[in-house]
Amino acid sequence: MKNLYRTASLGVALALFSALAPALLTPALADVAYVNKGLVGVGRIPASQKDKLGETFGSGSGMSIDAKGWTHDATGYKGSLWLLPDRGYNVVGTTDYRPRLNTITIELAPVAPGAAPAAGQEQSGLKATLADTILLTDDKGTDTTGLDPLKGVRTASGDMPMLPQAENGKLALDNEAIARLPDGTMFISDEYGPNIYRFSADGHLMSATQPPAALVPMRHGKPNFASDNPGPGAAEPDPKNPETGRQNNQGLEGMALTPDGKFLIAVLQSAARQDGGDSPATRQDTRALVY
């Protein structure tokens, strides 16, 4: 997901469309009936919202609901979700945006199925509030960056594999999806590597998993993590596209844990270069990784 910061005039809307209601005729999944009640609530975060670091709130490329903390009473539902911004303001190239994670508290009082808002009023029923922001730092505790790693490769060290590095020396992250574990640590997928990172509950990098070599972007026979989104004044990579490996901006876009928590599944956004790259006819032939 790209260009989430395309205009400051847009806010963020969160919508919930369905709820559980066994009394209604519905499809069943694992002997549980789920009902699509249509739109039951919309919550808004204004375009003027600043995060806890004083910067413009960055919407979300990945989201994970805190299922353990979800509650339900006579007034409705309460809980929180983790919202992962993309790599920052991203209209003309990339910037030195510090990757982060936002926590949103939500209060849902579902509206009746099919109910329309009163004249002159917006759909409501869901209150969404920015509760916290934490920075994602590397294994040394240093800020990371959204800048395109045009030529940078951080050498493998200890348990860490080689990693994308921007020209300012920071670990470059293009965050896409998040999966939270019961202990508060989290897996975050990335498009630059494409890698899977594990962060502590307070945002400190604990480990990194590199995909099979076939998905590592290669230029001139060497790993090159550039995504053809140079920062201000920087040149495009040579060649523009990797010769093999993930296509530019088509890394590990989707990721989730299985319900039993035993497997982590990550999906490449589209075909690797050697599998068809950005060709409309073959880009859907992508790969899913199961760990």
Side-chain angles (χ1 to χ4, degrees):
M1 181 180 286
K2 291 291 176 280
N3 295 333
L4 296 173
Y5 305 72
R6 185 175 296 279
T7 171
S9 66
L10 296 179
V12 177
L14 302 174
L16 294 184
F17 288 88
S18 61
L20 186 63
L24 300 180
L25 181 62
T26 65
L29 179 64
D31 298 324
V32 177
Y34 291 90
V35 177
N36 182 357
K37 293 186 176 181
L39 185 64
V40 297
V42 175
R44 295 171 179 82
I45 296 176
S48 59
Q49 176 73 59
K50 299 292 181 67
D51 64 22
K52 289 296 185 74
L53 303 172
E55 297 180 73
T56 303
F57 178 74
S59 186
S61 184
M63 180 177 67
S64 180
I65 293 178
D66 178 10
K68 188 176 181 180
W70 188 263
T71 62
H72 178 212
D73 58 26
T75 63
Y77 303 83
K78 294 182 180 179
S80 63
L81 56 85
W82 298 283
L83 204 59
L84 184 71
D86 212 305
R87 62 185 172 196
Y89 189 81
N90 191 177
V91 174
V92 182
T94 49
T95 62
D96 188 16
Y97 177 82
R98 295 176 294 174
R100 65 201 63 192
L101 183 69
N102 290 311
T103 304
I104 309 294
T105 59
I106 53 177
E107 298 178 37
L108 172 65
V111 299
Q121 296 184 0
E122 294 180 323
Q123 182 76 44
S124 59
L126 177 65
K127 181 180 179 182
T129 306
L130 177 62
D132 198 11
T133 305
I134 63 170
L135 287 173
L136 300 178
T137 61
D138 69 11
D139 54 318
K140 306 287 194 302
T142 303
D143 285 348
T144 54
T145 182
L147 278 170
D148 192 319
L150 295 173
K151 299 178 182 178
V153 177
R154 180 173 293 187
T155 305
S157 176
D159 293 331
M160 289 287 176
M162 62 176 178
L163 299 174
Q165 181 171 287
E167 291 186 333
N168 59 9
K170 297 178 183 179
L171 174 64
L173 296 177
D174 185 0
N175 299 323
E176 293 301 338
I178 176 172
R180 191 91 169 204
L181 282 80
D183 64 1
T185 64
M186 48 199 158
F187 289 115
I188 290 178
S189 70
D190 151 77
E191 289 208 298
Y192 285 143
N195 293 322
I196 297 174
Y197 295 102
R198 187 174 185 182
F199 287 90
S200 64
D202 61 357
H204 184 85
L205 181 61
M206 301 168 62
S207 64
T209 299
Q210 198 170 66
L215 302 188
V216 175
M218 304 289 286
R219 288 179 171 90
H220 301 296
K222 297 180 179 180
N224 183 302
F225 299 112
S227 68
D228 193 31
N229 285 276
E236 289 188 335
D238 174 32
K240 176 183 176 67
N241 293 304
E243 289 144 353
T244 61
R246 63 104 178 104
Q247 171 70 17
N248 289 332
N249 291 325
Q250 308 290 307
L252 297 178
E253 183 79 15
M255 181 182 66
L257 285 163
T258 55
D260 60 10
K262 293 182 179 180
F263 298 96
L264 183 71
I265 302 174
V267 181
L268 204 64
Q269 185 171 339
S270 65
R273 292 293 298 168
Q274 65 272 25
D275 295 337
D278 59 355
S279 166
T282 58
R283 67 177 298 179
Q284 70 267 26
D285 299 325
T286 188
R287 306 192 189 200
L289 307 177
V290 181
Y291 292 91

